[in-house]
Amino acid sequence: MFWDQEIETLPRPELEQLQLKRLRKTVRKVASETVFYRQKFAETGFKPSAIKSLADLRRLPFTTSADLRANYPDGLLIKGGHDLIRLHTSSGTTGKPKALFFSRKDIDQAAENIARCLTMTGLGKQDILQNMMTYGLFTGALMVHYGAEKLGLMVIPSGPGNSEKQLLLMQDFRTTAIHLTPSYALYFADFIEKRGVDPRKDLALRKAYIGAEPYTEETRRKIEAALGVEVYNCYGLSEMNGPGVAFECDAKQGMHVWEDNYLMEIIDPQTGEPVPDGQTGELVLTSLCREAMPILRYRTRDITAIIPGPCPCGRTHRRLQRITGRSDDMLIVRGANVYPQQIERILMSIPGLGRNYLICLEGLDEMIVKVELSDASFDGQVEHLVKLQSQITEKLRAEILVRPKVELVMPGSLPASEGKAKRVIDKRIL
Amino acid sequence: MSTVKLVAVFSENKPGQLERVTQLLAGSGINIQWVTIATSETFGVIKLLVDRCDAAFNLLKENGFTVSLIEVLAVEVQDQPGGLHTVAEALLRHHINMQNASGFVSNNRAVLLIEVKDLEQAKAAAVTAKLHLLSPEETLRL
């Protein structure tokens, strides 16, 4: 099913022609109308006229999240010429947040992209979407809300948390689709299991849109089994209009990036050099349609790869692999590069474990992985627990090349998250 | 001839874990007849023989503990030299490997609690060797 079949299946040469046209327009615009890019281009000697083909994208300087913070609040804002109707911020754990402006057209475009996304997964007017993402300064919930309304669904803006009420809404209004983070999905699955709710019998759920945090294929399968839904992976960031930058189609083999809206590149995060399709690196995005705050070559810090070749669904927009980590989430433990997602993937593949885990780094580079036991697997034999513990240790060591200390803890004893989960605590004295 | 059930509780190896278990049981008037704790470096398993086994199991589960019920054989051992040897010999003769065993003496009667992989086989061995297996009611009357 297509929302806008013409643009979604536009032949590559035409799509690239459209991209070039939009890129040149965007570059000219930011050069003349933003303080930040005027200065940046002057410093780096870049001239907008240098963009003659898409290959010239490489001549543009990168924009980083540090640039956004340093030019807070409005150094990247295009002043005038559009209806400025919204400000969002992107969380800064330290210092100033990133301020992100949206025009009426930007919000409408975000909704349009979401409508494409939801339609391609098979959602239609008859569906009911319970939006369990955070409403507020974070773009995640609102943009999906607008897109779903545009498509004509009934939206229940429940926000995250209060699982009791979520379940009640789901039961009483026969919710068919949900949008939430993977950690909340796992928590909620656990919650309904404890209530003795069988999602296949007692609920009408069909689809779950899961994003805002990286997760693994194993986690997808766990959520699908526990909630009786098809899980679709989605990707977006507030700097690029929020969610709906990339989304899985029904084939569930990677996320289509709306290439009429975004130019994507994968680079080596160390050297900044582009890598060929299929190779893993950092995703760099350039917005092509944003009006209030276009951003060029934005370093997303997200680690992924472009999937080469066409998708069975017929869309010509290329796909991204599941995000496997963030280049700034990478932990260096005893000299080895470790992504928390590697640890999650292993833990989720071992039977007998619960859904929560915590990685603690302590002392002089010691890694402790705390993992919840599952209620069902406990048979009272300490020997079996010891065996499970050493099996986890060995599998982790083989994957991350560091031998962690594994601690089994009681189900439900780790901080359960209803929003973005905090999986790493670094207390090293290095 | 029936087996005896123990309540096994998963416990993280940190202060206050046993105390929380015993407090809950005491609060519900459940009597602990016997207890054993097996620990590894970071966790342990507390095994309890109580007068109301199912009540204890449900109570602990409702309070967030990870629990399971284990079936064991309660073998009466003659409280005299060679008493334990008679039991050990019978199990050996039938190639029965004990996973865990522990004993206690109450009112001059000695009891050995045995966890084995194959309960039926161990029961048959006990019968052949003319060992006395205690029923749950008998263990409560000790």
Side-chain angles (χ1 to χ4, degrees):
Chain A
M1 277 206 285
F2 294 93
W3 173 256
D4 184 345
Q5 184 158 10
E6 192 192 339
I7 199 79
E8 292 174 46
T9 60
L10 200 63
R12 293 294 307 178
E14 288 170 49
L15 183 57
E16 284 164 19
Q17 209 52 49
L18 181 65
Q19 288 182 314
L20 180 61
K21 193 180 111 198
R22 289 180 171 170
L23 175 65
R24 296 181 67 168
K25 188 177 161 201
T26 302
V27 170
R28 278 199 308 272
K29 190 111 183 150
V30 297
S32 63
E33 295 182 37
T34 68
V35 180
F36 169 71
Y37 282 111
R38 195 183 314 130
Q39 276 174 4
K40 187 117 181 166
F41 290 173
E43 279 163 24
T44 52
F46 172 83
K47 297 260 184 309
S49 58
I51 304 283
K52 297 205 166 25
S53 73
L54 286 179
D56 294 323
L57 182 65
R58 290 182 57 182
R59 299 169 186 265
L60 277 164
F62 289 118
T63 306
T64 63
S65 64
D67 289 329
L68 263 56
R69 289 207 172 85
N71 291 274
Y72 178 90
D74 61 356
L76 281 82
L77 174 67
I78 302 233
K79 291 181 180 101
H82 55 79
D83 296 334
L84 182 63
I85 60 165
R86 178 72 60 78
L87 168 76
H88 280 282
T89 65
S90 186
S91 51
T93 39
T94 51
K96 295 275 193 199
K98 291 169 266 183
L100 303 157
F101 298 95
F102 296 76
S103 72
R104 188 180 305 281
K105 217 178 122 230
D106 291 335
I107 301 261
D108 195 57
Q109 186 63 52
E112 183 73 17
N113 292 347
I114 290 292
R116 285 186 201 173
C117 296
L118 298 179
T119 305
M120 79 175 160
T121 65
L123 232 55
K125 282 187 197 308
Q126 72 289 351
D127 281 291
I128 296 166
L129 176 78
Q130 194 160 322
N131 198 1
M132 299 161 75
M133 215 44 113
T134 305
Y135 281 79
L137 287 169
F138 170 60
T139 49
L142 279 168
M143 300 305 178
V144 167
H145 183 113
Y146 300 141
E149 284 185 348
K150 184 163 213 158
L151 175 54
L153 310 181
M154 184 171 91
V155 184
I156 307 176
S158 61
N162 198 347
S163 302
E164 197 85 54
K165 185 175 249 171
Q166 301 278 8
L167 178 60
L168 177 112
L169 290 167
M170 246 173 235
Q171 285 174 320
D172 292 355
F173 299 98
R174 310 303 290 160
T175 302
T176 60
I178 50 178
H179 172 222
L180 71 175
T181 61
S183 49
Y184 188 32
L186 291 171
Y187 176 90
F188 188 72
D190 200 49
F191 173 83
I192 67 165
E193 190 190 316
K194 285 208 175 98
R195 293 296 150 108
V197 173
D198 176 355
R200 287 169 185 80
K201 279 213 317 266
D202 308 329
L203 302 176
L205 293 180
R206 299 196 296 126
K207 316 258 172 187
Y209 304 100
I210 305 237
E213 291 166 2
Y215 60 108
T216 59
E217 256 331 288
E218 284 78 6
T219 298
R220 181 208 310 254
R221 280 195 288 273
K222 253 188 188 187
I223 297 170
E224 288 188 329
L227 290 178
V229 290
E230 297 261 359
V231 167
Y232 297 89
N233 194 6
C234 39
Y235 175 76
L237 56 167
S238 298
E239 295 88 327
M240 292 286 144
N241 248 7
V245 171
F247 223 84
E248 275 183 334
C249 63
D250 243 349
K252 298 204 288 189
Q253 289 166 10
M255 304 177 285
H256 290 280
V257 173
W258 299 121
E259 292 191 84
D260 59 322
N261 277 248
Y262 307 99
L263 275 176
M264 62 170 164
E265 303 166 80
I266 303 290
I267 62 160
D268 177 329
Q270 255 80 51
T271 64
E273 289 300 311
V275 302
D277 284 8
Q279 206 165 308
T280 300
E282 180 184 330
L283 175 66
V284 173
L285 290 171
T286 298
S287 70
L288 295 175
C289 296
R290 270 178 69 76
E291 206 179 39
M293 191 175 168
I295 303 179
L296 307 173
R297 300 197 86 197
Y298 186 63
R299 299 278 304 254
T300 66
R301 303 288 167 193
D302 289 320
I303 302 294
T304 178
I306 292 173
I307 300 173
C311 179
C313 76
R315 285 175 184 80
T316 51
H317 300 239
R318 286 176 300 166
R319 291 162 297 158
L320 285 179
Q321 270 176 12
R322 174 179 289 291
I323 307 295
T324 52
R326 285 181 58 80
S327 56
D328 47 8
D329 272 359
M330 188 181 79
L331 306 168
I332 302 179
V333 184
R334 285 174 245 158
N337 295 350
V338 177
Y339 289 103
Q341 285 72 31
Q342 290 176 287
I343 294 177
E344 174 174 321
R345 195 162 54 75
I346 297 295
L347 295 178
M348 294 295 158
S349 72
I350 299 174
L353 299 180
R355 299 180 177 114
N356 267 320
Y357 67 93
L358 190 65
I359 302 162
C360 302
L361 300 169
E362 290 177 3
L364 293 167
D365 235 3
E366 189 181 8
M367 179 187 264
I368 299 163
V369 176
K370 296 187 182 193
V371 50
E372 286 181 3
L373 201 62
S374 84
D375 267 316
S377 70
F378 178 66
D379 65 357
Q381 302 297 339
V382 86
E383 300 77 13
H384 293 169
L385 296 173
V386 172
K387 211 166 135 193
L388 180 63
Q389 187 184 33
S390 61
Q391 184 197 3
I392 301 168
T393 311
E394 268 320 300
K395 284 200 169 171
L396 286 175
R397 193 201 52 81
E399 170 72 26
I400 62 177
L401 310 175
V402 170
R403 181 183 292 277
K405 193 171 156 200
V406 172
E407 287 182 10
L408 296 173
V409 300
M410 260 160 60
S413 67
L414 292 177
S417 141
E418 297 195 3
K420 287 202 179 201
K422 185 155 178 57
R423 300 293 196 193
V424 181
I425 294 177
D426 195 344
K427 290 191 291 192
R428 282 177 292 187
I429 31 164
L430 296 176
Chain B
M1 187 187 316
S2 56
T3 49
V4 171
K5 280 185 195 156
L6 302 181
V7 181
V9 192
F10 176 75
S11 149
E12 289 164 42
N13 216 349
K14 59 186 184 194
Q17 292 279 299
L18 178 64
E19 190 269 344
R20 280 190 57 216
V21 174
T22 51
Q23 186 190 25
L24 279 169
L25 296 178
S28 290
I30 293 170
N31 188 31
I32 302 172
Q33 291 194 292
W34 168 89
V35 63
T36 174
I37 303 175
T39 60
S40 160
E41 200 184 332
T42 62
F43 57 82
V45 176
I46 305 166
K47 289 178 195 166
L48 303 151
L49 176 65
V50 294
D51 55 353
R52 285 184 291 134
C53 169
D54 293 327
F57 176 84
N58 291 331
L59 175 70
L60 290 166
K61 204 167 176 64
E62 278 158 22
N63 281 278
F65 282 94
T66 301
V67 280
S68 98
L69 288 174
I70 309 177
E71 278 188 86
V72 299
L73 296 179
V75 184
E76 176 149 18
V77 180
Q78 294 307 312
D79 193 8
Q80 64 186 46
L84 182 58
H85 174 70
T86 314
V87 178
E89 201 198 3
L91 294 172
L92 174 69
R93 220 181 306 129
H94 292 84
H95 308 287
I96 287 162
N97 226 337
M98 283 187 274
Q99 283 180 311
N100 275 305
S102 48
F104 61 96
V105 178
S106 175
N107 295 328
N108 296 324
R109 291 180 77 185
V111 178
L112 186 65
L113 297 176
I114 306 174
E115 290 174 45
V116 290
K117 264 216 181 73
D118 189 337
L119 218 50
E120 291 308 313
Q121 194 192 5
K123 265 197 222 173
V127 173
T128 316
K130 296 199 169 55
L131 298 175
H132 179 217
L133 291 181
L134 292 146
S135 69
E137 296 73 32
E138 281 178 290
T139 57
L140 296 183
R141 282 199 302 267
L142 286 175

